[in-house]
Structure formats: C-alpha cells, structure tokens
Amino acid sequence: MIRYGSKEHALSAVLYVLVIVTGLAFVFPFFWMAISSVKLNRDVLAIPIRFFPPVWNWKSYVNVFTKFPDFNFPRYILNSFITAIFAVLLCLFFSATAGYGFAKYKFRGNGVLFMIVLSTLMISFEAIVVPLFIFVRGLGMQNRYLGLIIPESLTAFGVFMMRQFFYSVPDDYIESARIDGANEYVIFAKITVPMAQTALLALVIFHAQWVWNLLIWPVILISNPDMRVLPVGIALFKGSYNTPYPEQLAVSVIACLPLLLLYIFLSKYFVQGITMTGLKG
Amino acid sequence: MVKRVLLLGLALLILASFAWATGQKDGGKKTITHYHWTETTFDKINNHAVEVFQAKHPNVTVKLLLLPDGDRVKTIRTALAANGDIDSFALSNGDSAEFLSTGQAVEINPKGFGKKSVAEVVAMWNPGAIESSGGVWEGKYYGIPVELSNYVAWVNIADMKEAGLDPANKPKTWDEFHAMTRKLVKEVGGVRTRNGFECNGKTSIFSFLVVSDMIQQLGLDWGTDKGFLASVDKPDLLAKGLKNYTDFVTEKSWDPGFSGEDRQGFANNKTATMLTGGTWFWGVVDTGSVPRKDVNPFNYPRFQGGRDLGGMGYGNCVFVSRLAKDPVLTFAWLDTLASQPNEFIKAGLNQPRISLSDGSQALDPALGKQVIPFYDEVFKGELTKTAVWLSSTKTAQMMDAVFGAVSRVIYENLTVEASVAQLQKDIRSILK
Amino acid sequence: MRSASYSVTKLQRHGYVFILPTLLFFAAFLIYPMLSAFHLSLFDWNLLGAKTYLGLKNFATMVEDQRVINSFLRTLHFSAVSVVAINVLAFIFALMFSSRLIRYKNFFQSLIFLPVVLSIIACGVVWEFMYQKTGLISIIFQKLFGLSIPWLTDTGIAPYSVIIVFVWKSVGYYMVIYIAGLMDVPASYYEAARIDGAGFWGQLLYITLPSLKNTIALAVVSCVIFTFGQFSIQYVITSGGPSRSTEILALLIYREAFEFSKFGYSAAISVLFFLTLLVFSVIQLRIFRSGSIGG
C-alpha cells in the first residue's frame, strides 16, 4: 500500500545510515568490553591502542572461575538469580494488587495513600540504607535471601505503572463478572491479571534490570562471602589490587548475558506492554 | 499463564521462608568471624593460619572474611554498629583511632597467648611496633601488629638510562627528584606515552600520605589532631609542602589526564617513578609488564634543611571486637594469625614480631635481606625514620580536606597560597 | 437486591485489602527507615558512639556549607542537562527507529537498549578507559577534530563526560516509552493532516507532539526523579572529582555517612534531597496535569 517513490528511497537510505551509525555507536563500548576481555592484560593497557587482540586470550573466561579462590562466581550468579527471580515476582505481586486497588476502588484516603506510596520514590536510597540495615538485621534477615529479596521488591514505580494500566481497563468486564456473582479477588486473579500480562512483562524487564545490577544494598547487608550477589562480586574483584583487566571485563560480560537474553526474549511484549498501560496517553 | 507463574512464585517464597525460619544451627561449633583485607599473595598465608588454628581447636570454625581495602572499614563499622557477627578485625593505623576511642576493641588479654601479663605479650613484638601500627590508645594495648611497612621511592632505571641519567645516582633532595621526573617524561610525536611521576588522583588517601610526609619533613606535626591544628598557623610551611607535591603537575612531570593509578601505572611503565609503595610492592610489579631488574627502590627524597624522615610509615593491627563471644579464644586465634612472619616476609610483607608465644624465634632477621631486593640498602634503614600517619577520630575528613587542597591547585588552577587559605578554614572547622 | 449505596461502600472497601500488603511492606521497609533517617538529622552520630542531640544545628551548618551548596548546584545542572538530553534524544530515536522507512526495527532498537541492561561497574571501567588521554574517545577526537580534551581532569568538562555516559545508558529505556506513544497515534490523524497539506514538520508539531503529551509527561517526571538520585555513575567513574565537580547530592549523602562517619549530617542532607524532589515533582505534575497521572 505504501508506494515508495525515489524521494522515499533516498530518505530511507539516509535513515538507514543514521540508524546503523547510531546503533553501532551505542553498542561500541560493549564491543570494546567484550573484545578486551580476550586480550592479554598488557595489551589492554597498551599504547597505541589496538582494537583487535594481537594474541587471543580466551583463557581469561576460564581464569575467572579457576584462578581466584576467594571469588566463587558461580555461587554469586546463583545468588543473583534467586534474589532477582523472587524480588521480581514479589514486585509483580505488590504492584499488581496495589495498582488495582488504587485504580479500581474509590475508598477514603485513596489519593493520600497513593501519594504516600509515591513519595517513597523521592527518598535517596543511600540515606535509608543504615536504618534499613539495622531494622533488617533486627529481623534476623542479614546474610539471608529474604533480607535481599524483600527490600529489593519494593518500588513505587511499579505501583504507579500498574495503576496507570488498570485505569485503562474498561469497568464493563469487571461489572459483568460481579453480576455473575464472582467475588472481587477471583475477578482480579482470573480476569484482570491475565489482561495485564504484557504490562506485567514490561514491569519485569524494568525491575529485573534494577535488581540484577543493584550494588549498594547487598554490599551493606551481606558480609558472608557465600551470600554475595554478582555486582558485589564484580566490585570486589575490581577493587583488589592486582586483578587483571581481561578477567574483570570477562566477568562483566558474563554479568550482562542473563539480562540481555531476558530482554531479547521479552522485547516484543515489552513495547506492547507500555502501549497497553495507557502510559502514552 | 502469568497468574500461574505468580502463584508458583508465591508458593516458592513461602517455602523459602520456612526454610529460613527453621534455619540451620552450626551443630554446636563455635565460630570466630574475622574481617581482614585481601591481597592474593597474602590470602594463602592467612588461610593457612585458619587451618592451623582449626586443627588445634577442633570445635572451632574460623570464618575469614577478606575484603578490599576500600570497603573494609565501612563494613567493619556497619557490622559493629548493628551488633553483628564480628569477633575480630584488622585495621590500619590511620583507621584505628575511631574504633579504639569508642570502645569497639577489647584490651589485650594475655591468657590468649598463654602469658601472665600484657607486658609479656608486648615484649613479643619489636619495641614501639604496636604503637606505630595503631594498636595503642591512651596508653592501653589493644592491637596485634600484622604489618609494619614504609613507603619508599621507586624508579624505573631502564627509563633513566634512556633519558641519559646514571641509574646509580638517585636524587636525594626534592629539587633533584623533581628535575629527574621532568626528564623522565616521554612523548612520541607530541603525545605523552609516559609520565615522569604520578600518584593516584581519585582517592584521597594516597596524595594525603605523600603530602603529609612532605609536611612532616618540614617540621610540622601531622600525626595528631593537636599538631595538625597547630600547623594551620604556619601557612608558609604548608604552602611549601603542598607546592612540592602540586609542582609535579604544574611542571608537567605528571599529567593526570594521561594516567593516574600509580601502582599499576608504574608496574606497566606508564610512569617512571612512584612514591607509594612498600616491600609488598614487589608482588605488584610482578603482575605488570616492567621486569624486576628495571625496578629500583630508593630513599625518599628530603628537603634541604628539613627533617631526616623517610616515607610514610604505616601498619595494620588485628583487634578483638567488643562483640567477641569468647575474647580469650579470639586472642588465641589472633596469635595464630600473626605467627607466620617468615612466610609473610617471603611474600614481601614485614611483620615486626620477635618471638612466638612458645618462645621460639618469630621473624628471622636475616630473611629480609634474602627475599626482598634492596632490603638492607633501602627498606630497613628507612623503616626507622618514618613519617607518621594521622591518628585521629576524624582522619577521613582531614585526608579529604588535604585532597581538596591538592585538587584545587591541580584541577582548578588555584594558587597554592589560596588553596592553603581554604585548607586552614577546613581544618579549623573539622577540628573545632 | 441490596441497596445500591450499601453495596458500593462494601465493594470499595475491598480496595483496602488490595493495597494492604504493599502498604505494610512499604511502611516497614521504606517509610520507617525514611522517618528514622529524618529523625537522625537532628543528631550528631558516628555510628559507633553515642548520639548527641543537636536540634536544627545540622541544617544551619548545611545552609552555609559550600560543599553542600556545590553539590546541590551540581545536581541541578546534571539533572537539567541529562533530562533534556535524554528526552530529546529518546524522541528523535523513537522517530528514527520506528520509522516505516526501515526494516528490522526491533533489532536496531535493541542496540540502543543494550546499555540499559549493562551493569554500572562494567560501564564505569569501560568508559574510564575510553576517556583517558590514550583512550579511544580521546584518540577519535584527536584524529577527527584535532582536539585533545581532558575528559576526566577538567572541572568544566568532567560533568559533561559523566552526563554523556548517563545519557548513553538511559536513552534506550525512554526511547521505548516514546515509541509506544508514537505507535498509538492514529494513522488517520496523519492522513487528515497530509490532506490538509501539512509536511513533515507540520505533522510533527501539530499531530505528534500534542498526542504525546501524556507520554512526555510520564517520561520527564520519572526521568527527573531517577536522575536526581543518580549516584553510581559518578561514584564509579570520577568518585565525585575532579575537585568535587561531579559530586552530586546522592554521592555527598553517601560520602558524609560512609566515609566521614557523619551520619546525622548525611541525614540532614537527605532531608534537603527529599524536599527538593518533592517540590520538583509537585511542580511538574501541575504543569503536566492530565486525567490519568496523579489521579
């Protein structure tokens, strides 16, 4: 249906060039990181800069797991997975239920309570880290998964997003289900939540990315090396005096992969999800 | 589908929390949790101490937490504040004042060493070692030294030869040192490929230690709060010391934009000289591209007419925390931890222990010369003439103020005098 | 049949049940520590010793403290420039990367989104390398423009170097939001405009932008909030330097607490942070007032 005239062809070509150049520019630092992870340490630091490794050092990836007995990266990856999966699931639970509650029910204090929830976005996390640590420790959750999972599952942004979405869900579905005699919770679980699938997936990506890369909370909470999560492992790895750069970069590349895969897998749902949250207007 | 996943997740969460609630108890074993710093060559030796101790005390498990320098103090502080699981910890002499003055450590208990009095324990270490490594507060002994080192100057003699300088002729004064670093700058086609000198430009501690050394060589006392405050009344000397450091940048021996990590930089020939390394630095050199034969440590330069002080002296002590479940046992652990000075000196770390608790010799005095290049020529002598790191509860703030003074000159092009004026204000307000 | 008003009220009360778990957890793990931190701002505490009551003295000191003022201004600058850059670029990219004139849109969009999923420490290492005099960026600039720019050692330039990294890392996220917004503008609007003779710019100004009002509102408001609290980039790349030129408020809050052990003072600065963000958000929500945001 779209007829491409020669003007359109020219425009298309120009656009392709712009898009490719911009795309490459954005991805370039990642390329550099990946390619430097297979150089030798002295080649990473060499002047003049060489983009391609004169000597390919694939061993750096092996070294990460074998040469540093103080750093148990497989364990850190496992810890990160456990924390991220549960934190994201819990976040979905909080965001969906609260978002639904705020959007679909007119109760006294709705506006005020929502504002209070939203105000938690304005807290600098660094400021609450110490009181939170003392509190969590008091609950016996230091060095435990729950101590990481619960605080990391809380984000007002998720509540905000789901509330936006549920606003755009027509009340008719809900009303007709009520007339049919279904109770509120069944309606929520069986009707509204399935409709929210793509919005929830979008929230998964947003939140998973934050939890997976979060450093400041685990650093304070976890003193047991076996309970460390990946960003902490990487930061400590970088902080040791003699850590060679290829290994540092190798572990950083490894750290990106799960999120990358998650994003690629979910990306088509992602854009749909944002559309359906009615966020665009 | 999503709903089922949610339900499954919730179920798993509930299961997980049951698992947590029922928890695991350690099966009747005592545990000692010790916080230490990490350095690959030393970690092996420390882990061996764990094995030795656990073999002697089969019902005790030692958890050795190895943390990078930058995070160690913060982690220890948070653990103590939250009454966490911390039986013993290692602190440098710059950090210990804050902890000792607030009662975080327990006085040395001679029973842990099988001795009858604190004096007997102290006698097992070099005289003055516990003081110099930060283990003493208000006359009482708390710390067991595990390191006593000093900074010396380092130069790459291959670079010297390349610049036409005689490697046997090391600079003795700061003026000579500055002249040498200017000559050691290397440029290829107008682009710098090597600094003549560099120091870590991002964290405050390193520039503080070098500047403080220079200031102390000029006769001021930067080892105590009182001395520091008094020094603020002598802006001329402060300016002279500060300028001696910032001149490296002003005179272009050091281009911070080119490189600014002195240890790695020196080990990879991004800089020809360095001022922040001790005996342990030989281990770092081995990880870089510069061969050992090109590396020469030498005495810290002095000011003409200034005090005969070498580089900054620093040490690390291990302490028993006030939260230790069994202080005597924990001191016994620290005793074991500090019982391998010969292993450590081979790895380049000096532990100032004379005798072990069973009476045998600790550090073999002849060993240093054998395993550490230039030990007799440089390190041993300079160790007796070190400058003093600041012992204060406000060390971090003072170091930051000095770093600010340096940064103002290097990055904001302020004059040294103007920067010192601001430094005076900062110090007075910190120490008031 | 129950009376209408009775069932309405009883029904609406279910709302409380739905929000209860979230409120409970937020109250315990976010609001309580926040209030605790605010309370702490009235004291002088180094975490290990006793707390000394100071009343409002921390605030009095703070108002005159050059370092806090510097941080505050740096944060405003960083946020303003970043938010504008991110949103303008995200919008342009959204137009580019969802244009009907190119194929494989998803793939190209993923390239822009990639930096979003990278860990900040990895980004810090990479960009620090690239910004050095011998780093890639410096070399490119030298070859292309003959300029030798001190990216990380000039107090005027370093803030922008950091902004570049932050924008690079964030733009993909907002681009996707704008793409979704664009997709939702009915094609009929554009048809009508074309019939009326509007060209590319005309369509952009009179159709696209007005339809995106809510998207822009969401993007800008959340961008301001996230940018204001940004801490990791500066911490990893410049550590607040050179000479405090990139020491933004969140970093200062961290530093005063965890490096200088002035937990009370740090809490006071965090109160300033909170109030500022609150004021900004209220202002923005007023400006962008629309039915679906803020209810």
Side-chain angles (χ1 to χ4, degrees), chain C residues 251-285:
Chain C
L251 182 54
L252 186 61
I253 291 173
Y254 174 85
R255 183 156 279 168
E256 291 283 349
F258 290 96
E259 289 179 25
F260 303 156
S261 287
K262 288 160 69 183
F263 286 85
Y265 197 57
S266 169
I269 304 178
S270 76
V271 171
L272 170 68
F273 178 90
F274 178 77
L275 291 176
T276 310
L277 208 47
L278 194 59
V279 165
F280 278 172
S281 303
V282 167
I283 294 179
Q284 284 179 92
L285 288 178

Side-chain angles (χ1 to χ4, degrees), chain B residues 8 19 38 59 98 101 103 191 216 295 316 334 338 369 372 377 379 383 406 417:
Chain B
L8 185 63
T38 181
N59 64 333
E98 176 198 344
S101 63
V191 174
Q216 290 181 53
V295 173
N316 278 283
L334 293 184
K369 187 160 106 164
I372 296 186
E377 298 91 318
F379 295 100
L383 189 56
V406 168
E417 289 72 23

Side-chain angles (χ1 to χ4, degrees), chain B residues 355-426:
Chain B
S355 59
L356 297 178
S357 296
D358 60 8
S360 62
Q361 185 195 54
L363 180 62
D364 180 357
L367 210 50
K369 187 160 106 164
Q370 288 170 28
V371 296
I372 296 186
F374 292 86
Y375 185 74
D376 268 1
E377 298 91 318
V378 181
F379 295 100
K380 203 163 96 168
E382 290 282 84
L383 189 56
T384 59
K385 304 180 199 163
T386 62
V388 178
W389 198 342
L390 179 60
S391 172
S392 157
T393 56
K394 302 203 170 157
T395 306
Q397 293 178 63
M398 316 269 269
M399 295 204 298
D400 181 79
V402 172
F403 182 58
V406 168
S407 300
R408 282 189 292 272
V409 177
I410 292 182
Y411 298 117
E412 294 182 50
N413 291 318
L414 225 59
T415 64
V416 174
E417 289 72 23
S419 188
V420 166
Q422 181 63 42
L423 180 64
Q424 287 174 300
K425 280 197 224 136
D426 289 339

Side-chain angles (χ1 to χ4, degrees), chain A residues 111-133:
Chain A
V112 172
L113 286 172
F114 182 66
M115 278 295 133
I116 293 181
V117 166
L118 217 52
S119 74
T120 60
L121 281 178
M122 296 169 210
I123 309 171
S124 163
F125 196 72
E126 292 75 36
I128 61 165
V129 149
V130 170
L132 185 62
F133 173 68

Side-chain angles (χ1 to χ4, degrees), chain C:
Chain C
M1 263 279 264
R2 306 191 199 110
S3 76
S5 61
Y6 173 77
S7 60
V8 164
T9 321
K10 188 163 189 261
L11 197 66
Q12 302 312 325
R13 281 211 217 111
H14 285 292
Y16 287 121
V17 177
F18 277 104
I19 66 172
L20 189 64
T22 306
L23 275 187
L24 270 179
F25 278 85
F26 269 61
F29 290 90
L30 288 178
I31 299 189
Y32 165 65
M34 174 171 87
L35 294 175
S36 192
F38 288 174
H39 176 72
L40 193 52
S41 68
L42 302 173
F43 293 82
D44 177 34
W45 191 38
N46 69 353
L47 205 67
L48 296 173
K51 292 193 185 126
T52 323
Y53 182 70
L54 289 180
L56 294 175
K57 248 201 245 163
N58 276 332
F59 294 96
T61 319
M62 194 172 80
V63 163
E64 292 182 326
D65 187 346
Q66 279 304 318
R67 192 170 195 164
V68 175
I69 296 174
N70 173 60
S71 251
F72 191 71
L73 294 174
R74 295 291 178 184
T75 313
L76 290 181
H77 174 257
F78 175 73
S79 301
V81 177
S82 298
V83 170
V84 168
I86 289 176
N87 280 279
V88 167
L89 279 179
F91 180 67
I92 295 177
F93 286 170
L95 289 175
M96 278 168 59
F97 286 77
S98 65
S99 164
R100 59 189 172 81
L101 293 176
I102 60 170
R103 294 162 64 190
Y104 311 116
K105 290 192 253 280
N106 235 359
F107 169 71
F108 287 117
Q109 287 166 17
S110 303
L111 295 183
I112 306 290
F113 195 81
L114 175 62
V116 176
V117 303
L118 295 177
S119 94
I120 187 59
I121 306 234
C123 294
V125 171
V126 171
W127 280 91
E128 219 189 312
F129 255 119
M130 299 204 302
Y131 272 140
Q132 280 176 350
K133 272 248 166 98
T134 49
L136 228 40
I137 300 203
S138 303
I139 300 232
I140 292 178
F141 263 75
Q142 252 168 339
K143 294 249 157 88
L144 286 182
F145 306 114
L147 289 173
S148 172
I149 303 186
W151 296 100
L152 297 180
T153 49
D154 182 299
T155 54
I157 297 183
Y160 290 98
S161 309
V162 167
I163 288 175
I164 290 175
V165 181
F166 181 64
V167 169
W168 168 80
K169 199 175 186 312
S170 314
V171 111
Y173 191 96
Y174 295 93
M175 174 189 76
V176 172
I177 294 182
Y178 281 112
I179 287 180
L182 284 175
M183 276 171 62
D184 223 59
V185 182
S188 51
Y189 285 22
Y190 289 113
E191 274 307 313
R194 218 170 301 150
I195 291 172
D196 283 348
F200 174 73
W201 294 106
Q203 289 177 37
L204 193 67
L205 282 176
Y206 295 113
I207 309 290
T208 320
L209 284 177
S211 313
L212 282 184
K213 196 175 112 158
N214 279 334
T215 315
I216 297 179
L218 167 79
V220 171
V221 173
S222 58
C223 193
V224 168
I225 293 182
F226 287 131
T227 308
F228 212 74
Q230 183 55 222
F231 150 89
S232 335
I233 300 236
Q234 287 87 346
Y235 182 66
V236 172
I237 299 187
T238 58
S239 219
S243 217
R244 302 184 194 157
S245 55
T246 59
E247 193 175 73
I248 68 295
L249 224 43
L251 182 54
L252 186 61
I253 291 173
Y254 174 85
R255 183 156 279 168
E256 291 283 349
F258 290 96
E259 289 179 25
F260 303 156
S261 287
K262 288 160 69 183
F263 286 85
Y265 197 57
S266 169
I269 304 178
S270 76
V271 171
L272 170 68
F273 178 90
F274 178 77
L275 291 176
T276 310
L277 208 47
L278 194 59
V279 165
F280 278 172
S281 303
V282 167
I283 294 179
Q284 284 179 92
L285 288 178
R286 289 265 146 106
I287 295 179
F288 287 116
R289 165 147 274 163
S290 75
S292 46
I293 299 186

